[in-house]
Amino acid sequence: PDITLQAICTRLEGMRERTPRGRTKWQPSSVRMLLERAEKLGLLE
């Protein structure tokens, strides 16, 4: 719960997970957008 957006970016890059646009480099704003979308859908507590 206390992980930073940049730390999430680093983990996603380490897992070689692609961004929604297919890039390999994650930006904190992209992570925040996905977290906000997941929250709106009720996927986060």
Side-chain angles (χ1 to χ4, degrees), residues 25-39:
K25 181 76 176 158
W26 280 87
Q27 297 296 320
S29 60
S30 297
V31 173
R32 182 178 38 231
M33 175 198 63
L34 291 174
L35 289 173
E36 288 172 354
R37 187 183 300 171
E39 190 172 18

